[in-house]
Amino acid sequence: MFKKNQHIFNIVVAKSALASLVLSLVASFLFISLPATAKEFQLQEIASIGRDDAINSSKLIWQANPSNKSQYFVAARSGKIYMLDERQAQKKAILDLTQDLSQAKILQLSAFALHPNFSIREQQGYATFYTAHTEVFEPEHKATRLKSKTVRSGFEYESVITEWQLNSSTSPSLDSEKKREILRIPAKSKEENIKQLAFDPFQKPWSDDFGLLYIALNGANEPAQPPLYSGTVLRINPVALGARGYSIPANNPFLKNNKIPSEIYLLGLQKVKQLLWSKQNNQALFIKHLYGKQYLLSKAKSGNDWRQKSPKQVIWQAKQNPKYDTPFVIYQGRSYKELLDKALFLSFDDQALKLNSIVLDSNTSSTIADEGIIKTNNLKTKTNFGLHQDKNGELVFSDNNTGTLYYLESALAIGSEQVAPENENLEPEPSQTGSYIVLIIIVLGVVAIVLLHYRSKIQNKITRSTLHKRFARFEYDEESQSIHLFKRHQEEIDNTLRLTDIIQSEILLNGHSISIISGKQGQGFNSSLETELNRVFVKEHRDKMVDNKVRQIDLLLTSQQGQKYDICTYLRKGNQRLTKAGYHETVEKLLDWCWLIAQQLNASETGKRVIRVKPVIHKQTHISNTDNQPRNKEETAIPSADLKVSAKPVNTKNDAKSNAESTPDNELNMAAKQNESNVDTELVNALDKLVKLKQQGFLSEEEFASAKSKLLEDLLK
């Protein structure tokens, strides 16, 4: 046997050594033979609003929906805002300013932003977004107009900021009754419009600066004598305060300056193009602007005034060039670590679309670095394109001429194509062809050996990917009547569902449906269904978890919009559990959930829950001398521990005392005390269970009181 095992071990070692040798040879060959190439990116289409709407707009504003990774908002200059879903086409606009603000003489929509609490229910700003548009100046709108501390007159236009709210963060329906005008900013020309509305995305809810709206106002054509509102950044709190549609933050820099409005945060930026924030520099605001006929990327601080003095911390500067008009993004994704916290933008040079980067280092002036070429067959000439980020901070590319959105993904470097003369023989030499064939065979063999050798590791990665793609746990919030969904290893809420939004709950065991609760007939819940469900879980738990066997429990919830939320509540592979909660804890929580959601969805077919008390079994530690004679041989067996005790010398002086303590009356008293102790223990365990259910929101006050009374009555019997 030892020789046989040793032989197998030697074979495995030999295969591993051979695989390592072949891999080294292949890597060396490829390194020597293949030419060095730059990084390349390819486009994968996500969604499109249609060419007609794109043509009617010179520029589109794209924004990822933080509530749904497959949804995007797109705002057109014409005043229409769409919600696009990559899984289905949504052609109808959720907002059309020309219709919803029909009384105004609207010229164009210039900015669009989502509130940072857009995806968090029961919070200020849920499903709320903001628009800025330019319209003809109307003197009667005095209530919401920005009050100037300096005299100004002769206005022809003004920018208007409006707050809107959807019925749900993932629903395309607009709640028109909650429309609210926040602020009007007068201007002398159409160029002095709002270039951007933005919130600092890295402020936490407990921060004083959380939820503050930044308003970037473009500069006038004559920078020598700019108006006070020209080339500025305003900062307000969009929450209504009395008759005014907003309030001014207490830490705004010009509160005590009588010559400058308190809403202003930065001054003298001239032609503002964009506001940017970095997670690594969370106290800094980066400004992309055209200043003194040069493009600058400046690092700004609260209260900076650049009307007379130019910015001190300039990250990057370049001569005025149309290629820098494209939007910048500061990369915060995970796919490209080398691009993290760099300012990225696209440029169209030499008939090629390139990705460029700028390092955000304020100590030295950065230069533009070429990060790669974007492969596309559609962009033959310069087009109206843009660079954006999705919900997770990954790169998204937009072709605004066609109204199409793409993921920007890395592609395999294939080198630049060489155009050969017509008389050049393009066929490779026979020896070269043979080398390529041998190389392909070797590579395929190595791949097969590696896959066999690391098969278990690959399967383990596939199993773990299940947790990354789905939610890992859920918590019920009784106060808001909703459940919070969490990703794996995360304490922050990833998504929230109200009970009223759920239309079906389904439990899957190893991919097979074992329970469905909905409003349909026959899909309620009762004690017999609970017993049957428990039986299925117990049967599954009896099966031995051999290597590579997977045990998985999923809770699949369906919303009114038809969206499905998959929660992998339990996952185990072999002897390794990949979820935090244990099997019995998961089963108990799912049973509680079934009773709760059944009462919500199908109360007429949901029975009354019976709280079962598990008996507490106590080991017998004393055998009375007055017990009846045993009925079988098993009852006459004396434990070995008792035999050792009885073998000890007997103290005859204490015999009378011990006999007196062993009278029948004393034995009955001891038995009564023992029985009372058992009842107390059962009562405490049952009450703990009831209190836990009530705290988790699965029992109301009336149900808790009724169950407690029934419990006490049963135990006393």
Side-chain angles (χ1 to χ4, degrees):
M1 179 64 71
F2 175 79
K3 291 182 178 180
K4 182 179 179 181
N5 292 337
Q6 182 67 29
H7 178 66
I8 295 174
F9 177 77
N10 291 336
I11 292 175
V12 173
V13 173
K15 286 183 177 180
S16 301
L18 178 61
S20 301
L21 177 61
V22 173
L23 281 174
S24 301
L25 292 174
V26 172
S28 302
F29 180 84
L30 291 175
F31 181 79
I32 295 173
S33 60
L34 292 180
T37 56
K39 181 182 292 184
E40 292 183 344
F41 298 88
Q42 61 186 7
L43 302 179
Q44 178 184 349
E45 183 174 341
I46 301 174
S48 176
I49 64 171
R51 186 175 181 85
D52 293 339
D53 290 299
I55 290 175
N56 294 331
S57 174
S58 60
K59 201 168 186 179
L60 299 174
I61 306 170
W62 299 85
Q63 180 101 31
N65 185 358
S67 297
N68 190 321
K69 64 181 180 180
S70 65
Q71 292 180 344
Y72 293 85
F73 292 97
V74 55
R77 297 296 186 187
S78 60
K80 292 183 179 181
I81 298 178
Y82 301 85
M83 178 186 283
L84 299 185
D85 195 320
E86 59 183 277
R87 298 170 301 180
Q88 59 185 3
Q90 179 65 42
K91 296 183 179 179
K92 184 179 179 181
I94 62 174
L95 174 65
D96 188 348
L97 293 180
T98 58
Q99 296 180 4
D100 292 280
L101 299 175
S102 56
Q103 73 283 1
K105 299 178 181 178
I106 298 175
L107 301 178
Q108 67 173 7
L109 184 145
S110 59
F112 167 78
L114 302 177
H115 194 280
N117 278 339
F118 184 85
S119 60
I120 304 177
R121 291 181 178 272
E122 309 299 333
Q123 295 292 326
Q124 177 75 33
Y126 171 70
T128 301
F129 65 92
Y130 300 86
T131 61
H133 69 271
T134 304
E135 65 178 51
V136 177
F137 182 84
E138 296 292 345
E140 63 269 14
H141 295 291
K142 297 180 180 180
T144 58
R145 185 166 290 125
L146 185 65
K147 305 297 188 297
S148 175
K149 296 180 181 179
T150 60
V151 179
R152 291 189 61 186
S153 61
F155 301 120
E156 297 182 18
Y157 308 95
E158 59 184 338
S159 296
V160 184
I161 302 173
T162 310
E163 180 184 88
W164 309 84
Q165 189 168 346
L166 300 175
N167 291 316
S168 170
S169 62
T170 57
S171 171
S173 58
L174 184 71
D175 191 344
S176 57
E177 295 182 357
K178 295 185 178 180
K179 174 187 66 177
R180 187 169 65 90
E181 187 174 293
I182 295 179
L183 180 63
R184 286 176 174 264
I185 305 173
K188 289 188 175 182
S189 66
K190 290 186 290 186
E191 287 74 21
E192 297 178 55
N193 60 357
I194 295 177
K195 294 293 293 184
Q196 186 180 1
L197 296 176
F199 295 87
D200 185 345
F202 304 113
Q203 292 294 337
K204 301 300 181 183
W206 54 84
S207 172
D208 293 336
D209 292 340
F210 179 80
L212 300 184
L213 180 61
Y214 291 78
I215 307 164
L217 285 168
N218 196 21
N221 290 327
E222 298 295 334
Q225 295 179 348
L228 190 58
Y229 295 141
S230 178
T232 61
V233 173
L234 282 64
R235 189 176 71 164
I236 63 172
N237 188 339
V239 178
L241 180 63
R244 192 163 56 176
Y246 65 95
S247 61
I248 300 174
N251 58 350
N252 267 18
F254 299 107
L255 284 174
K256 298 180 180 180
N257 192 324
N258 295 326
K259 296 181 180 180
I260 300 176
S262 302
E263 292 87 349
I264 291 182
Y265 186 73
L266 296 172
L267 273 170
L269 281 65
Q270 297 185 14
K271 293 283 188 179
V272 183
K273 297 296 181 180
Q274 201 174 3
L275 307 181
L276 299 163
W277 284 269
S278 166
K279 190 174 184 179
Q280 280 68 26
N281 297 273
N282 56 1
Q283 299 299 323
L285 172 60
F286 294 92
I287 311 291
K288 177 194 172 186
H289 55 142
L290 188 59
Y291 188 94
K293 297 184 179 181
Q294 277 195 327
Y295 269 101
L296 302 184
L297 183 61
S298 307
K299 186 176 182 181
K301 292 183 180 180
S302 174
N304 282 153
D305 187 349
W306 298 332
R307 289 177 294 176
Q308 305 298 331
K309 296 181 180 179
S310 59
K312 293 182 179 180
Q313 293 183 301
V314 177
I315 308 299
W316 160 84
Q317 61 181 352
K319 293 182 179 180
Q320 186 173 352
N321 192 318
K323 73 176 183 179
Y324 302 130
D325 286 338
T326 60
F328 282 29
V329 299
I330 297 181
Y331 182 69
Q332 301 295 339
R334 297 183 178 181
S335 298
Y336 312 105
K337 294 183 179 180
E338 70 278 6
L339 300 180
L340 187 62
D341 207 43
K342 290 182 179 179
L344 306 177
F345 69 96
L346 300 173
S347 64
F348 197 84
D349 297 322
D350 300 327
Q351 301 299 312
L353 190 61
K354 297 181 180 180
L355 179 66
N356 309 287
S357 69
I358 300 172
V359 178
L360 298 179
D361 186 357
S362 60
N363 296 325
T364 58
S365 182
S366 301
T367 57
I368 297 176
D370 186 0
E371 296 293 346
I373 299 174
I374 300 173
K375 298 172 60 179
T376 174
N377 297 325
N378 298 327
L379 299 177
K380 299 299 183 181
T381 59
K382 187 180 185 303
T383 184
N384 185 12
F385 50 78
L387 191 62
H388 319 276
Q389 289 180 299
D390 67 1
K391 176 184 175 182
N392 300 319
E394 299 301 338
L395 296 176
V396 178
F397 173 87
S398 67
D399 181 355
N400 295 329
N401 283 352
T402 60
T404 309
L405 195 66
Y406 303 87
Y407 279 122
L408 192 62
E409 299 177 340
S410 63
L412 294 176
I414 59 174
S416 57
E417 298 180 359
Q418 299 293 334
V419 180
E422 294 181 359
N423 59 353
E424 184 177 347
N425 185 15
L426 299 178
E427 296 182 1
E429 297 178 0
S431 59
Q432 187 178 7
T433 304
S435 301
Y436 286 145
I437 294 175
V438 172
L439 176 61
I440 292 173
I441 294 174
I442 293 175
V443 170
L444 292 177
V446 171
V447 170
I449 295 174
V450 171
L451 288 177
L452 290 174
H453 190 66
Y454 295 100
R455 180 176 58 182
S456 60
K457 292 185 178 180
I458 294 173
Q459 291 176 347
N460 191 36
K461 288 183 178 180
I462 295 174
T463 305
R464 290 180 181 272
S465 68
T466 301
L467 291 175
H468 293 294
K469 295 178 181 178
R470 305 173 185 177
F471 297 103
R473 63 185 178 93
F474 70 97
E475 297 293 341
Y476 175 63
D477 186 356
E478 181 183 9
E479 183 178 354
S480 62
Q481 292 290 299
S482 57
I483 63 169
H484 301 310
L485 306 181
F486 299 83
K487 291 289 188 179
R488 192 186 185 206
H489 299 319
Q490 289 186 358
E491 296 299 327
E492 294 184 359
I493 299 173
D494 189 87
N495 211 329
T496 300
L497 274 176
R498 291 185 65 88
L499 290 186
T500 53
D501 290 341
I502 301 173
I503 61 173
Q504 180 175 295
S505 172
E506 183 177 7
I507 298 177
L508 304 175
L509 178 60
N510 298 330
H512 301 286
S513 178
I514 60 175
S515 172
I516 297 179
I517 298 173
S518 71
K520 298 180 181 179
Q521 186 177 359
Q523 292 187 351
F525 201 70
N526 51 42
S527 297
S528 60
L529 291 175
E530 180 185 19
T531 302
E532 177 63 21
L533 191 59
N534 227 335
R535 185 189 65 79
V536 174
F537 282 127
V538 170
K539 182 178 181 299
E540 170 65 24
H541 193 254
R542 288 199 195 103
D543 294 343
K544 187 176 181 181
M545 290 297 294
V546 297
D547 292 341
N548 298 325
K549 175 179 169 58
V550 177
R551 176 178 291 157
Q552 183 174 337
I553 304 176
D554 292 280
L555 177 62
L556 188 61
L557 304 178
T558 306
S559 67
Q560 292 181 353
Q561 292 78 26
Q563 187 174 355
K564 295 186 180 296
Y565 298 84
D566 198 341
I567 311 166
C568 185
T569 58
Y570 181 87
L571 183 61
R572 182 185 182 94
K573 182 174 183 289
N575 61 353
Q576 184 180 13
R577 174 156 52 87
L578 302 177
T579 50
K580 185 177 181 180
Y583 187 81
H584 295 294
E585 181 184 351
T586 302
V587 171
E588 184 178 357
K589 187 173 183 179
L590 287 175
L591 292 176
D592 294 339
W593 166 255
C594 287
W595 283 103
L596 174 68
I597 195 63
Q599 191 65 37
Q600 174 71 30
L601 299 179
N602 203 338
S604 61
E605 296 190 18
T606 300
K608 189 175 182 180
R609 189 175 192 183
V610 178
I611 305 299
R612 295 179 174 84
V613 181
K614 296 181 180 180
V616 181
I617 302 175
H618 297 273
K619 295 182 180 179
Q620 185 176 353
T621 57
H622 177 72
I623 300 178
S624 174
N625 293 333
T626 61
D627 288 345
N628 295 331
Q629 294 295 326
R631 290 170 292 178
N632 51 50
K633 292 183 180 181
E634 291 180 359
E635 292 181 348
T636 62
I638 302 175
S640 59
D642 292 342
L643 287 173
K644 292 179 181 179
V645 173
S646 62
K648 292 181 180 179
V650 180
N651 189 354
T652 56
K653 292 182 180 181
N654 297 329
D655 283 349
K657 185 176 180 180
S658 62
N659 289 335
E661 292 176 352
S662 301
T663 60
D665 291 340
N666 290 335
E667 292 291 338
L668 290 174
N669 291 335
M670 294 176 62
K673 291 180 179 179
Q674 181 67 31
N675 184 49
E676 182 180 354
S677 175
N678 293 349
V679 173
D680 291 342
T681 304
E682 294 178 9
L683 178 61
V684 170
N685 292 338
L687 288 177
D688 284 343
K689 171 68 174 176
L690 285 177
V691 172
K692 182 179 178 182
L693 290 174
K694 180 176 178 296
Q695 290 175 345
Q696 292 176 345
F698 294 108
L699 290 178
S700 63
E701 288 289 348
E702 294 77 9
E703 292 172 336
F704 175 74
S706 176
K708 184 173 68 174
S709 301
K710 183 70 167 56
L711 178 65
L712 293 173
E713 182 182 347
D714 292 342
L715 288 176
L716 290 176
K717 288 180 180 180

